[in-house]
Amino acid sequence: DVKVTQSSRYLVKRTGEKVFLECVQDMDHENMFWYRQDPGLGLRLIYFSYDVKMKEKGDIPEGYSVSREKKERFSLILESASTNQTSMYLCASSFPGREGYTFGSGTRLTVV
Amino acid sequence: GENVEQHPSTLSVQEGDSAVIKCTYSDSASNYFPWYKQELGKRPQLIIDIRSNVGEKKDQRIAVTLNKTAKHFSLHITETQPEDSAVYFCAAPPQAGTALIFGKGTTLSVSS
């Protein structure tokens, strides 16, 4: 079974803090993705990556950045956390050409 | 960019009834249409998908139909059971092999 592991299940951070959300997959997937999930808004794409050191903006990249230094790890960075970034963050991975994703369990981030 | 609209947002059925969820997409280049199920507190999981070269695909009680001309696809669940209660998401990629854009989700409730 492919495993996509997100380092924290719950996080509480203060406004203005720099926040790192980590995602690791163990099946050598080239593609990795970050989404945020909010009630009534579904899953919205923040950033994605098709290769090491490569990144592409999704639909809502403002206030976020990403890092992919190793194939198995894709980090989401909130440069200066704000209360409107309180959300569930989902990481996913896939093989190229196989669009079916495997999701992590999610990180519920609360910014106070 | 791709826009995926999903209806209805909530659906309540009696056990044994059928349920249908519909999605429309905007980008005619989309060629892959997955459906994900997310149970309460869990990660989204792929339940069925269809590619643009077929019109219908079935897997036991679930089926997906695709109308490329009209740019819509639907999830059909027959003989619903309480364990089918979940949030269902449709998705489509703007182009082959690119990141999925998700609908806003449908909360299905099956009462016994």
Side-chain angles (χ1 to χ4, degrees):
Chain A
D1 250 6
V2 175
K3 287 187 179 175
V4 179
T5 303
Q6 294 184 231
S7 55
S8 303
R9 187 80 169 115
Y10 299 96
L11 273 180
V12 180
K13 296 292 182 180
R14 293 194 179 279
T15 300
E17 278 193 76
K18 191 169 186 176
V19 181
F20 293 85
L21 303 183
E22 305 288 346
C23 176
V24 177
Q25 49 92 7
D26 66 357
M27 282 298 291
D28 206 33
H29 283 175
E30 280 82 1
N31 302 340
M32 296 188 76
F33 311 88
W34 276 106
Y35 289 84
R36 63 177 282 177
Q37 182 175 17
D38 300 288
L41 297 179
L43 283 70
R44 292 181 291 165
L45 180 65
I46 306 172
Y47 268 97
F48 57 102
S49 170
Y50 291 147
D51 203 351
V52 175
K53 296 192 185 296
M54 175 271 179
K55 61 185 179 183
E56 293 283 348
K57 292 181 180 179
D59 294 328
I60 53 164
E62 297 79 16
Y64 303 94
S65 63
V66 290
S67 173
R68 192 160 181 206
E69 296 295 320
K70 293 185 178 181
K71 189 176 185 178
E72 67 270 19
R73 185 181 297 270
F74 192 34
S75 303
L76 181 68
I77 304 157
L78 286 66
E79 298 291 343
S80 177
S82 64
T83 55
N84 62 12
Q85 293 178 310
T86 291
S87 186
M88 170 67 83
Y89 289 88
L90 288 166
C91 175
S93 70
S94 73
F95 282 117
R98 299 183 194 177
E99 293 93 335
Y101 290 179
T102 298
F103 280 92
S105 296
T107 296
R108 184 164 295 282
L109 173 67
T110 302
V111 182
V112 298
Chain B
E2 178 73 280
N3 184 40
V4 178
E5 294 194 359
Q6 182 172 346
H7 299 280
S9 57
T10 60
L11 181 58
S12 296
V13 300
Q14 291 286 322
E15 183 177 1
D17 287 350
S18 295
V20 181
I21 303 170
K22 298 181 180 179
C23 285
T24 61
Y25 61 98
S26 60
D27 197 323
S28 57
S30 296
N31 67 345
Y32 173 74
F33 308 94
W35 286 91
Y36 287 81
K37 175 184 180 181
Q38 186 178 30
E39 297 176 0
L40 191 61
K42 297 189 176 180
R43 71 190 75 191
Q45 292 198 307
L46 178 68
I47 55 171
I48 195 168
D49 56 16
I50 192 169
R51 295 194 180 273
S52 57
N53 56 346
V54 297
E56 184 176 4
K57 183 177 178 181
K58 288 183 180 180
D59 183 2
Q60 299 183 340
R61 295 186 298 108
I62 60 173
V64 56
T65 58
L66 171 65
N67 184 326
K68 283 217 74 179
T69 303
K71 290 195 243 178
H72 67 71
F73 57 111
S74 300
L75 178 71
H76 304 255
I77 306 174
T78 58
E79 301 173 22
T80 53
Q81 301 168 4
E83 51 265 38
D84 294 328
S85 296
V87 180
Y88 292 81
F89 293 98
C90 63
Q95 298 175 33
T98 58
L100 292 173
I101 303 302
F102 285 82
K104 293 183 178 180
T106 296
T107 301
L108 173 65
S109 300
V110 181
S111 53
S112 55

